[in-house]
Amino acid sequence: MVLTTTSCYKCVGGTISCACCEGNLIKYGRDIRGKQRYFCKKCIKTTVVFYTYQAYHIGTNPNIIALTKEGVGILSMARLLSISATTILKRIKNIASTLFPPTLSDNQEYEVDELKTYYLQKSNPIWIAYALERESRRVVSFAVGSRSNAMLNQVLQPLVEAYPRKIYTDKLKSYKYLIDNKIHSIQNRSTNHIERMNLTLRTHLKRLNRRTLSFSKCVIMLESIIRIYFWSKYVFGANKLSRSV
């Protein structure tokens, strides 16, 4: 007796698998451009494996995050990824909208400081205020705007609600009115960690350099870049460039 083997004519051979769950893919018709679509039975999602436009590839967002954290400009990023600058701007805003600060723990010590930069032109100064958790070195809150009590209070309010053990700042007078004296400290060298973070920020993000032409053109993009730099690792993990770059 001769044994015969049969196989499903829709099954996809080779090394093609679902990028989300690594399940088996089957052919699922074509899209309006004639591209072959595939369906994953495990995660019940459809996808196109071979995209013509690079922006649709599964590794595009991680690449944008990695390049953003390395201080690569929008136009340079567009050239490296073969994507339009407009698409890069939209992706950065969309990614930033999905990122949120980490959960605060009670009875922790924090350092708060401000960083000066510019937007649109050098005659428009703007400040980045943020709080650093001493034990974990995590940035737990930040705000962008003029160095006013209202902007600083956006950073301090989440800390106060978490019942901190101590909040260390510099000698800016605004902090005296916003932080209770029992938990406020301005002693020397008490903000060393956040001052080190300021230097790291200016080194990694070119738009924050003191003498540069690469400053942000709008406040929304500046906030998005800062949000990605501070909090993307808590959502996307370690950010590494794809080999396709």
Side-chain angles (χ1 to χ4, degrees):
M1 185 172 106
V2 179
L3 295 177
T4 60
T5 58
T6 60
S7 60
C8 177
Y9 72 96
K10 297 176 67 178
C11 292
V12 180
T15 59
I16 300 176
S17 59
C18 180
C20 298
C21 64
E22 297 184 356
N24 295 327
L25 294 176
I26 63 172
K27 292 182 179 180
Y28 197 69
R30 295 181 179 272
D31 61 11
I32 58 175
R33 297 180 178 84
K35 291 285 185 179
Q36 179 67 60
R37 294 192 64 80
Y38 298 95
F39 175 77
C40 178
K41 292 184 176 180
K42 187 174 181 180
C43 63
I44 317 179
K45 292 181 180 180
T46 62
T47 184
V48 173
V49 178
F50 303 105
Y51 286 103
T52 303
Y53 188 39
Q54 298 295 321
Y56 295 116
H57 283 278
I58 194 70
T60 298
N61 280 5
N63 285 340
I64 291 176
I65 292 172
L67 293 174
T68 297
K69 297 179 73 171
E70 290 298 324
V72 179
I74 301 299
L75 295 179
S76 300
M77 203 181 303
R79 288 192 296 269
L80 288 171
L81 299 178
S82 300
I83 303 172
S84 71
T86 303
T87 302
I88 295 291
L89 292 172
K90 290 180 179 179
R91 287 295 182 92
I92 289 176
K93 293 178 183 178
N94 290 338
I95 293 170
S97 66
T98 64
L99 302 177
F100 300 95
T103 304
L104 299 183
S105 303
D106 294 345
N107 199 31
Q108 295 292 326
E109 294 184 347
Y110 301 97
E111 299 179 16
V112 181
D113 199 17
E114 322 86 48
L115 190 68
K116 184 180 179 181
T117 183
Y118 309 93
Y119 74 98
L120 193 60
Q121 55 188 359
K122 286 273 180 98
S123 60
N124 294 331
I126 195 170
W127 295 84
I128 302 169
Y130 65 101
L132 186 74
E133 189 179 82
R134 263 195 166 185
E135 183 177 352
S136 63
R137 303 292 195 273
R138 300 182 304 171
V139 175
V140 294
S141 66
F142 83 94
V144 178
S146 60
R147 192 164 62 166
S148 61
N149 288 356
M151 191 269 280
L152 294 175
N153 197 43
Q154 294 180 30
V155 179
L156 296 172
Q157 189 63 32
L159 309 185
V160 175
E161 293 176 355
Y163 304 103
R165 185 166 64 251
K166 214 72 173 175
I167 298 179
Y168 299 95
T169 69
D170 54 20
K171 297 181 180 180
L172 184 66
K173 291 183 179 179
S174 298
Y175 291 122
K176 296 181 180 180
Y177 306 104
L178 299 174
I179 307 175
D180 190 354
N181 292 332
K182 296 180 181 179
I183 59 174
H184 187 208
S185 176
I186 56 173
Q187 65 185 13
N188 293 334
R189 299 183 180 180
S190 59
T191 58
N192 283 355
H193 301 108
I194 198 167
E195 292 290 352
R196 173 64 247 190
M197 175 64 78
N198 289 345
L199 179 58
T200 302
L201 277 171
R202 293 193 185 276
T203 302
H204 288 177
L205 301 181
K206 186 167 57 175
R207 66 184 63 222
L208 299 183
N209 290 354
R210 295 183 183 276
R211 297 179 181 274
T212 181
L213 297 176
S214 302
F215 46 85
S216 297
K217 301 302 185 292
C218 69
V219 178
I220 295 177
M221 280 305 301
L222 178 60
E223 291 180 348
S224 299
I225 295 294
I226 296 298
R227 185 178 288 268
I228 289 174
Y229 187 87
F230 284 154
W231 298 330
S232 63
K233 62 182 178 181
Y234 304 123
V235 177
F236 296 94
N239 300 311
K240 296 182 179 180
L241 281 176
S242 171
R243 292 183 180 180
S244 61
V245 176

